Amino acid sequence: MISNGKNHNVTLDFQPTQIDLYTDQAEQFGSIFPGYINGIQLGVLRSSSPGIGNPLTNMNFWLFLLFSTTNHDFYCVNQDIRVVPAVIKWATNNQVTYEDPFGLEQRLQAAPTYQKLLEMIAADYNELAAKNQYPTLVSDLAAIYWE
């Protein structure tokens, strides 16, 4: 799911040379072409599941993508961080620069399981978020996503 900052959620469909944008009703309303993308930033959004118990055991991590274009910044949230290699491959194939300040690509390669990846991210999250001035982006994204 992606948000343009105005609480309009759409779906991304990565094509070989463009990203198509679809409404919640699966109607295509636009495309983003590599020439208009200034860059992609990969990150992690941390959220806690509501409920009783230890908040650390209810922790969820989401892939956060920021697509900067000439006209808009698009914030993308995905439940599965394992899509990072596909995003990086698309960016590389289309000569779009990307930033991976959390080292998600390397973490995915190093982690023996997805659960271990999430544990690695959880252990380093606060340090990584502070080091990369990430909390502001997370606050903005959370306000957009959870409204």
Side-chain angles (χ1 to χ4, degrees):
M1 181 171 8
I2 189 171
S3 173
N4 67 3
K6 298 177 184 163
N7 295 323
H8 299 290
N9 296 320
V10 301
T11 301
L12 294 176
D13 184 17
F14 285 82
Q15 298 296 322
T17 58
Q18 68 193 47
I19 302 171
D20 294 329
L21 307 172
Y22 291 86
T23 66
D24 289 338
Q25 291 78 33
E27 296 174 6
Q28 183 177 356
F29 70 89
S31 298
I32 303 173
F33 298 93
Y36 293 98
I37 299 175
N38 299 328
I40 301 172
Q41 183 182 26
L42 293 87
V44 177
L45 170 64
R46 178 176 66 181
S47 65
S48 294
S49 298
I52 301 172
N54 182 351
L56 293 177
T57 60
N58 294 331
M59 200 65 67
N60 294 308
F61 292 96
W62 301 64
L63 175 63
F64 164 78
L65 297 171
L66 170 61
F67 290 88
S68 295
T69 69
T70 54
N71 296 323
H72 300 285
D73 285 346
F74 293 94
Y75 303 93
C76 180
V77 179
N78 190 305
Q79 288 181 280
D80 195 341
I81 297 170
R82 291 175 283 200
V83 301
V84 165
V87 173
I88 290 174
K89 182 178 179 181
W90 185 91
T92 302
N93 288 347
N94 288 285
Q95 300 176 343
V96 173
T97 59
Y98 67 90
E99 296 176 52
D100 185 7
F102 276 58
L104 295 173
E105 183 177 28
Q106 291 82 15
R107 289 171 186 272
L108 276 162
Q109 292 171 356
T113 64
Y114 191 62
Q115 183 59 40
K116 192 66 173 168
L117 169 72
L118 297 178
E119 290 171 10
M120 290 167 44
I121 291 171
D124 298 337
Y125 183 82
N126 289 335
E127 179 183 338
L128 289 167
K131 180 177 157 186
N132 291 294
Q133 299 178 339
Y134 196 64
T136 301
L137 293 174
V138 171
S139 298
D140 291 345
L141 181 62
I144 293 166
Y145 184 74
W146 295 113
E147 284 184 355

